Amino acid sequence: MQIIQYLINGISIGAVYAIIALGYTMVYGIAKMLNFAHGDVIMVGAYISFCVTNYLGAPAWVALIAAMAVCTVLGIVIEGLAYKPLRGTPSLAVLITAIGVSYFLQNAAQLIWSSSPKSFTSIVTMKPISLLDGQLVITGEVLVTVAVSALVMVGLTLFTGKTRTGKAMRAVSEDRDAAQLMGINVNRTISTTFAIGSALAAVAGVLLCSTVPTLQPTTGSMPGIRAFTAAVLGGIGSIPGAMLGGILIGIIETFAKAYISTQLSDAVVFSVLIIILLVKPAGLLGKQVQEKV
Amino acid sequence: MLKVEDMHVYYGAIHAIKGVSFAVNEGEIVALIGANGAGKSTILKTVSGLMHPRSGSISFCGQDITHTDAYKLIRTGLAQVPEGRRIFLQMTVQENLDMGAYVNKEVSQKDLDMVFDYFPRLKERRKQIAGTLSGGEQQMLAMSRALMSHPKLMMLDEPSMGLAPILVDQIFDIIKELHKAGTTILLVEQNARKALQIADRAYVLETGKITLSGTGEELASSDDVKKAYLGG
Ligand SMILES: Nc1ncnc2c1ncn2[C@@H]1O[C@H](COP(=O)(O)OP(=O)(O)O)[C@@H](O)[C@H]1O
Ligand SMILES: [Mg+2]
């Protein structure tokens, strides 16, 4: 029974990684950049939610919406101020800037909220479900997290597949110049992508801290890196890939913590990533795209 | 309709277009011919707003568009079928057409019928991923996609590139039909013979400068052009 309990826990944390990875993958697919600050947007989302519930006494759904709103604006501002001026420059310059933004957000959070951990109250009020005389426990957080991540995946798939804006995003992702010739405003499309990715980061932040209730300025960084790993594992740029990668990384991490060692769990996660990339360089569900000349 | 005056375009330090002036009048087919690397594509990219000139001016239908970005230009009736087709390979044929109609907000059945009328083969392949089409079909899709916005001026960059002779003939027939239906055409070609056959007027471009101009017939019978572009 223990093993099934680990599996459930793994899927639950994996579902959070999946939501983060979906944001990573969308931004990478459309803006063609690794936004290393994505994990820190998660942390900001969690702090906003924390403040709205604890200081304003607002209900959980208000806190969630506030976190999403703040992160959406934050995402657009980061893109506009830090990344947009670098459009067309070597990707290394953009990557270093993204790392800079990541530190900036962590330091700003430290200044505003101090580095001492806050205890986050879960936004889920659902009672845990006990199965087989209490041998298996499925918490409300597990159910909500898994449901939300599935919903986000389906929503993004429909959005990019069916709507005019979503299709324009795919067009920009494939060929920026050709997209412009169609009348698509590339800058605005990239901005919209950051807005969506950051709103998802807020949702992920709230769910992450509902599952693991310690909140501090570095809260987003490891989950951010694991989610990035998940996106690469699943095939970066692929929506179902991000989902699959997230769940797998969550399960692998949980089992590594349980059966190998807590300290080594990240090493195990990265080893798995390296092995899979050796066999399938484009990731599990990634398309093998040849580089354009 | 389109007027380019003393246009200079650079790629970093490379001076690719060195003071080019030309015009396209409403209702014409104008050809721009020249060897590989002469700067034909650069001119089209600059007119369509994907690049901007360092100096000189471009106007379209009386409006100065020298510094207008590409995504705005399509709304003024200027469409480009880029070199190498540049269709969205991972999207379906239908989705490519949807993108062509992006500025119309909605894809009307009437417009779809129009392009399927020109290119019936695409109708059968509507649901197919564009990357799986043959070269000729991809060119047809690129042209259809540009047609969806009802351009006043359509600029085509080497539409015959890499196509079998029979397909080249088909594509040129369609260009003539589009022209008859009222679209003004600016045609860039390395296939000078075909281009001069259908062009009202033509310009010859050599390493960033226009060296000759005249009616299609005049140029086709000019000794210089014969030697350099028509194989003697
Ligand atoms: N992206 C680029 N960067 C630098 N130089 C370029 C680039 N694209 C084209 N050029 C140069 O500009 C000149 C004109 O190229 P192009 O317009 O593509 O010619 P054409 O379409 O007539 O074959 C060539 O010398 C080419 O090497
Ligand atoms: Mg060319």
Side-chain angles (χ1 to χ4, degrees):
Chain A
M1 266 324 108
Q2 195 65 24
I3 196 164
I4 294 177
Q5 186 68 57
Y6 286 138
L7 188 66
I8 291 169
N9 297 350
I11 291 173
S12 169
I13 192 72
V16 176
Y17 296 158
I19 301 173
I20 309 172
L22 285 166
Y24 249 120
T25 244
M26 277 197 66
V27 166
Y28 178 82
I30 289 141
K32 295 283 178 280
M33 68 160 291
L34 287 175
N35 179 19
F36 262 104
H38 192 66
D40 303 291
V41 177
I42 292 165
M43 169 274 296
V44 173
Y47 270 111
I48 299 296
S49 167
F50 175 85
C51 290
V52 171
T53 20
N54 286 277
Y55 303 146
L56 304 178
W61 64 269
V62 176
L64 181 66
I65 288 175
M68 288 173 74
V70 170
C71 287
T72 302
V73 173
L74 182 66
I76 294 173
V77 169
I78 292 174
E79 196 277 324
L81 289 183
Y83 304 148
K84 192 168 151 195
L86 295 176
R87 204 99 82 221
T89 60
S91 52
L92 193 59
V94 188
L95 189 65
I96 290 168
T97 307
I99 293 171
V101 171
S102 164
Y103 279 114
F104 174 83
L105 290 178
Q106 288 184 27
N107 288 336
Q110 212 170 71
L111 216 64
I112 301 172
W113 293 294
S114 91
S115 53
S116 61
K118 306 256 187 291
S119 162
F120 193 96
T121 318
S122 170
I123 65 154
V124 180
T125 47
M126 197 190 286
K127 288 225 165 51
I129 301 170
S130 221
L131 298 171
L132 307 168
D133 300 328
Q135 285 181 346
L136 274 186
V137 180
I138 302 177
T139 62
E141 283 79 7
V142 171
L143 294 175
V144 170
T145 309
V146 171
V148 168
S149 70
L151 214 68
V152 167
M153 184 188 78
V154 172
L156 282 182
T157 306
L158 289 177
F159 175 69
T160 52
K162 303 274 180 238
T163 67
R164 179 167 172 267
T165 310
K167 281 186 245 182
M169 283 182 171
R170 282 160 59 213
V172 169
S173 142
E174 259 202 68
D175 190 331
R176 249 180 228 187
D177 281 352
Q180 289 195 63
L181 291 176
M182 303 297 108
I184 297 166
N185 183 340
V186 169
N187 281 333
R188 210 179 57 201
T189 305
I190 291 179
S191 200
T192 309
T193 310
F194 269 86
I196 295 173
S198 305
L200 291 182
V203 175
V206 171
L207 290 174
L208 176 72
C209 289
S210 294
T211 310
V212 189
T214 325
L215 174 58
Q216 55 195 40
T218 52
T219 287
S221 66
M222 267 330 279
I225 290 175
R226 290 187 201 116
F228 166 62
T229 313
V232 175
L233 180 71
I236 192 135
S238 153
I239 291 175
M243 186 78 189
L244 177 68
I247 303 273
L248 281 179
I249 294 285
I251 293 172
I252 295 166
E253 183 197 335
T254 309
F255 275 96
K257 276 186 177 151
Y259 294 111
I260 303 172
S261 116
T262 313
Q263 278 81 31
L264 283 180
S265 67
D266 283 318
V268 174
V269 165
F270 285 108
S271 310
V272 170
L273 174 74
I274 290 167
I275 292 167
I276 291 186
L277 288 187
L278 282 176
V279 184
K280 289 205 75 176
L284 292 172
L285 303 180
K287 283 191 207 87
Q288 203 81 51
V289 203
Q290 66 261 61
E291 283 288 322
K292 269 195 217 105
V293 241
Chain B
M1 179 177 236
L2 176 71
K3 197 161 182 180
V4 173
E5 273 175 290
D6 196 25
M7 179 172 85
H8 289 261
V9 187
Y10 289 74
Y11 289 97
I14 301 168
H15 195 176
I17 302 299
K18 303 161 186 160
V20 158
S21 304
F22 69 93
V24 180
N25 302 313
E26 190 163 356
E28 280 187 318
I29 299 187
V30 172
L32 191 59
I33 61 173
N36 195 13
K40 305 180 297 295
S41 299
T42 307
I43 291 181
L44 288 202
K45 279 191 274 182
T46 311
V47 170
S48 65
L50 288 174
M51 299 177 68
H52 296 297
R54 190 167 294 181
S55 64
S57 71
I58 311 169
S59 71
F60 179 63
C61 296
Q63 246 183 310
D64 178 51
I65 57 160
T66 314
H67 299 287
T68 311
D69 287 326
Y71 77 91
K72 290 182 187 149
L73 275 184
I74 180 102
R75 292 172 171 82
T76 67
L78 184 70
Q80 188 191 343
V81 182
E83 182 174 7
R85 343 219 191 275
R86 306 283 286 266
I87 53 171
F88 302 113
L89 294 172
Q90 293 173 31
M91 297 174 111
T92 63
V93 168
Q94 176 70 50
E95 284 172 334
N96 269 275
L97 296 174
D98 293 349
M99 289 297 98
Y102 183 80
V103 289
N104 316 347
K105 301 271 191 270
E106 264 176 47
V107 193
S108 77
Q109 190 55 47
K110 214 171 107 234
D111 293 347
L112 286 174
D113 289 343
M114 166 195 63
V115 300
F116 292 147
D117 220 29
Y118 284 117
F119 305 106
R121 199 122 45 109
L122 292 180
K123 189 171 189 175
E124 305 156 23
R125 307 202 184 282
R126 272 173 93 147
K127 301 230 165 80
Q128 204 166 316
I129 298 288
T132 64
L133 298 178
S134 71
E137 289 163 349
Q138 292 193 5
Q139 183 60 47
M140 293 173 189
L141 180 56
M143 289 171 69
S144 306
R145 189 179 65 171
L147 278 175
M148 294 298 285
S149 66
H150 299 280
K152 291 187 215 143
L153 173 63
M154 186 142 143
M155 306 193 290
L156 296 122
D157 196 343
E158 310 231 21
S160 73
M161 190 165 61
L163 299 185
I166 181 158
L167 280 170
V168 174
D169 289 345
Q170 256 184 46
I171 297 283
F172 273 84
D173 284 344
I174 302 272
I175 294 174
K176 278 191 275 185
E177 272 184 58
L178 290 175
H179 175 245
K180 255 195 232 127
T183 314
T184 307
I185 308 273
L186 175 57
L187 174 65
V188 158
E189 263 299 339
Q190 273 195 65
N191 190 337
R193 190 184 306 274
K194 296 273 333 169
L196 292 178
Q197 265 172 23
I198 67 165
D200 297 309
R201 290 189 307 112
Y203 295 88
V204 177
L205 191 71
E206 271 174 51
T207 55
K209 286 198 182 114
I210 287 176
T211 51
L212 274 175
S213 65
T215 64
E217 275 167 43
E218 276 166 14
L219 288 186
S221 57
S222 132
D223 288 339
D224 289 346
V225 173
K226 269 190 198 158
K227 233 185 268 154
Y229 303 106
L230 302 175

